[in-house]
């Protein structure tokens, strides 16, 4: 009991931590994008001002004497070591370029590529036009520029940071889920071993008393029935002991397993519950642990009886589908709400007033972890019934 409560508290804590991690990731991502956009905008404005100075130097070169203008232009060009610049005339011929890689083996081809790059910059609005004459608008040059490498990296930085944050969140959640699974295994093993241990002593005592009663009252018809109930208790204890260990599946008859469940349910349910079976004519042999797999079908059938409130039809379907075997348990009960279907196998979830919500969780563990199969809600409609489907590999 305390183990189940501890596990449920741990599950709630895991859910809260996941919400906090996601909220932190969103906050970091938004803050990073905002700060990066502000820095990028400031740097872009700074580079734009540098290009305006560069263009002014070019204008000075053409308006003033050759020596002073050339010295000013050369100084401005040499100071620019980061921003790609292309100067083009009115015919889109490249006159000067800076901070752009050139292929030394094929200079003409490189100039052609630079010309196309300058045209692209101009079309994107990244150019400053300088008129070479105060009286004519036909002679001019265009100073085309692009973002510096630093500005491009800064613009890309928040997305890289966002990816790192998301990766951190994924790793953290994976670690939490792994820890949760380890905690779950400890709870299951602890509960199972303790239950098997606690049942062992009274079962041994009941078996001894049953033998004494058989000798004292050999003709009593109730004593054999008591013996069957004691055997049932012994089977339950055996199941719990196997849950706490690693059971070894062996080739078994699914028909026999299903028939045992039907026989057990018939003895313990009212005549208003009809057990209907739809089996193939030939037997199906598959590697399972019979006692544990019977437990799975029993849990599904007991849930079906509860859902039907003691009256209805439970259909057990079994079919060989080649590489796998399909088992379905259907009922004519009240069904499951759509919002609850995703939680039916979660430990602690139950729609009953009484119960721990561990039956379906236990069934899922037995099918998927011990038998490497699958179990899910195939269909459910409120007011009409539910179908659970199990698939096992042959």
């Amino acid at each position: 009991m305390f183990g189940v409560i501890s596990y449920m508290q741990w599950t709630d804590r895991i859910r809260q931590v996941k919400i906090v991690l996601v909220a932190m990731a969103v906050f970091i991502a938004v803050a990073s994008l905002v700060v990066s956009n502000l820095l990028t905008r400031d740097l872009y404005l700074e580079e734009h001002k540098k290009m305006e100075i560069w263009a002014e130097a070019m204008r000075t070169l053409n308006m003033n004497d050759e020596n002073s203008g050339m010295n000013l232009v050369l100084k401005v060009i040499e100071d620019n070591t980061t921003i790609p610049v292309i100067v083009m005339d009115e015919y889109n011929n490249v006159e000067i370029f800076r901070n752009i890689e050139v292929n030394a083996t094929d200079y003409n081809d490189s100039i052609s590529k630079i010309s196309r790059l300058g045209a692209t910059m101009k079309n994107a609005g990244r150019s400053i036009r300088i008129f070479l004459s105060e009286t004519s608008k036909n002679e001019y040059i265009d100073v085309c520029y692009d973002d510096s490498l630093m500005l491009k990296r800064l613009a890309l930085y928040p997305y890289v940071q966002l990816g790192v944050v998301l990766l951190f969140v994924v790793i953290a959640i994976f670690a939490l889920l792994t820890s949760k699974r380890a905690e779950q295994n400890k709870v299951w093993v602890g509960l199972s071993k303790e239950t098997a241990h606690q049942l062992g002593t009274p079962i041994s005592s009941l078996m001894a008393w049953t033998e004494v009663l058989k000798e004292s009252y050999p003709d009593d018809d109730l004593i054999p029935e008591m013996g069957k109930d004691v055997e049932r208790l012994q089977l339950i204890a055996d199941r719990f002991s196997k849950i706490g260990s690693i059971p070894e599946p062996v080739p078994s008859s699914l028909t026999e397993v299903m028939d045992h469940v039907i026989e057990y349910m018939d003895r313990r349910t009212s005549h208003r519950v009809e057990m209907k079976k739809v089996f193939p004519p030939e037997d199906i042999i598959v590697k399972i642990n019979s006692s544990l797999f019977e437990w799975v079908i029993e849990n599904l059938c007991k849930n079906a009886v509860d859902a039907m409130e003691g009256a209805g039809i439970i259909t057990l379907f079994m079919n060989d589908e080649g590489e796998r075997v399909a088992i379905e348990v259907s009922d004519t009960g009240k069904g499951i709400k759509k919002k609850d279907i995703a939680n039916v196998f979660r430990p602690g979830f139950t729609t009953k007033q009484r119960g721990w919500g561990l039956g379906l969780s236990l069934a899922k563990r037995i099918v998927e972890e011990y038998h490497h199969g699958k179990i899910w809600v195939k269909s459910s409609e409120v007011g009409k019934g539910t179908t659970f489907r199990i698939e096992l590999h042959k």
Side-chain angles (χ1 to χ4, degrees):
M1 174 179 175
F2 293 107
V4 175
I5 294 174
S6 175
Y7 172 72
M8 293 172 65
Q9 291 174 344
W10 174 257
T11 301
D12 292 337
R13 194 178 305 118
I14 289 292
R15 191 177 296 109
Q16 293 171 0
V17 171
K18 286 195 292 185
I19 292 173
V20 171
L21 285 174
V22 172
M24 289 177 60
V26 171
F27 174 78
I28 293 173
V30 172
S32 176
L33 287 172
V34 170
V35 172
S36 179
N37 285 333
L38 292 174
L39 293 175
T40 303
R41 186 189 64 183
D42 293 342
L43 187 57
Y44 173 79
L45 294 175
E46 184 68 23
E47 291 187 353
H48 184 75
K49 289 179 180 179
K50 288 182 179 180
M51 287 299 97
E52 289 180 343
I53 296 173
W54 208 93
E56 183 65 20
M58 293 295 296
R59 190 185 70 81
T60 304
L61 171 64
N62 288 276
M63 298 298 293
N64 297 313
D65 64 276
E66 184 177 352
N67 292 329
S68 62
M70 183 59 69
N71 291 334
L72 177 61
V73 171
L74 290 176
K75 185 178 185 307
V76 173
I77 290 177
E78 289 174 358
D79 286 343
N80 174 28
T81 59
T82 58
I83 304 174
V85 181
I86 303 174
V87 178
M88 306 177 69
D89 62 15
E90 65 269 24
Y91 303 107
N92 287 334
N93 296 318
V94 177
E95 293 191 353
I96 302 173
F97 60 89
R98 181 77 171 173
N99 302 320
I100 297 176
E101 293 183 0
V102 177
N103 187 359
T105 59
D106 192 349
Y107 184 80
N108 291 330
D109 183 62
S110 297
I111 293 298
S112 177
K113 290 181 180 179
I114 291 173
S115 178
R116 291 194 297 270
L117 178 60
T120 302
M121 294 177 183
K122 188 188 299 186
N123 294 332
R126 293 175 174 269
S127 65
I128 300 174
R129 179 160 293 182
I130 301 172
F131 294 99
L132 303 179
S133 174
E134 294 182 352
T135 59
S136 176
K137 300 293 184 180
N138 295 326
E139 296 182 5
Y140 60 86
I141 58 174
D142 288 319
V143 179
C144 307
Y145 61 94
D146 196 7
D147 293 336
S148 65
L149 182 60
M150 182 183 299
L151 185 58
K152 290 179 179 179
R153 287 177 177 174
L154 185 60
L156 186 63
Y157 170 74
Y159 300 100
V160 174
Q161 187 179 29
L162 179 60
V164 172
V165 171
L166 291 177
L167 180 63
F168 163 75
V169 172
V170 170
I171 293 175
I173 292 177
F174 177 77
L176 288 170
L177 291 177
T178 303
S179 177
K180 170 186 172 183
R181 188 171 298 144
E183 182 73 12
Q184 179 184 15
N185 289 335
K186 290 181 181 179
V187 171
W188 282 119
V189 171
L191 281 174
S192 301
K193 289 185 176 180
E194 182 64 20
T195 302
H197 175 72
Q198 294 293 337
L199 289 174
T201 302
I203 288 174
S204 299
S205 178
L206 287 172
M207 292 177 67
W209 281 110
T210 302
E211 293 300 322
V212 171
L213 289 174
K214 284 181 180 179
E215 294 178 359
S216 302
Y217 305 96
D219 299 327
D220 196 318
D221 295 334
L222 295 178
I223 295 177
E225 295 299 322
M226 292 174 58
K228 291 180 180 179
D229 288 336
V230 173
E231 291 177 0
R232 177 68 186 177
L233 286 173
Q234 191 173 12
L235 175 62
I236 292 173
D238 179 64
R239 287 173 175 173
F240 275 110
S241 66
K242 288 177 179 176
I243 285 289
S245 59
I246 302 177
E248 184 67 26
V250 296
S252 306
S253 168
L254 270 183
T255 303
E256 290 184 7
V257 170
M258 303 293 275
D259 284 338
H260 288 165
V261 174
I262 293 173
E263 180 184 356
Y264 170 76
M265 295 300 299
D266 279 338
R267 292 202 309 266
R268 285 162 176 79
T269 55
S270 69
H271 64 280
R272 295 186 301 164
V273 175
E274 179 184 352
M275 301 291 296
K276 183 180 178 181
K277 62 180 183 179
V278 181
F279 296 168
E282 64 281 357
D283 194 5
I284 299 178
I285 305 298
V286 65
K287 291 185 71 173
I288 57 173
N289 184 281
S290 298
S291 62
L292 288 182
F293 198 76
E294 281 184 28
W295 202 0
V296 172
I297 306 301
E298 284 176 15
N299 277 328
L300 295 178
C301 291
K302 289 176 181 177
N303 283 343
V305 172
D306 293 337
M308 298 187 302
E309 297 179 347
I313 300 174
I314 299 176
T315 303
L316 299 178
F317 170 84
M318 185 172 61
N319 188 37
D320 188 341
E321 298 182 351
E323 295 183 355
R324 60 189 179 187
V325 176
I327 302 103
E328 295 182 2
V329 179
S330 304
D331 62 64
T332 57
K334 56 186 179 182
I336 305 172
K337 297 178 181 178
K338 288 185 178 181
K339 66 182 181 67
D340 293 334
I341 290 179
N343 297 317
V344 294
F345 294 106
R346 183 168 59 86
F349 177 82
T350 180
T351 57
K352 306 174 188 176
Q353 293 182 351
R354 295 182 179 180
W356 289 101
L358 295 177
L360 290 177
S361 176
L362 180 63
K364 183 178 180 68
R365 180 182 177 87
I366 292 173
V367 171
E368 295 187 355
E369 294 193 18
Y370 294 159
H371 294 90
H372 307 292
K374 295 180 180 179
I375 179 172
W376 72 92
V377 179
K378 180 182 178 182
S379 62
S380 185
E381 188 173 350
V382 175
K384 291 189 176 181
T386 303
T387 298
F388 284 87
R389 181 178 174 89
I390 300 172
E391 289 185 357
L392 299 175
H393 295 287
K394 291 183 64 178

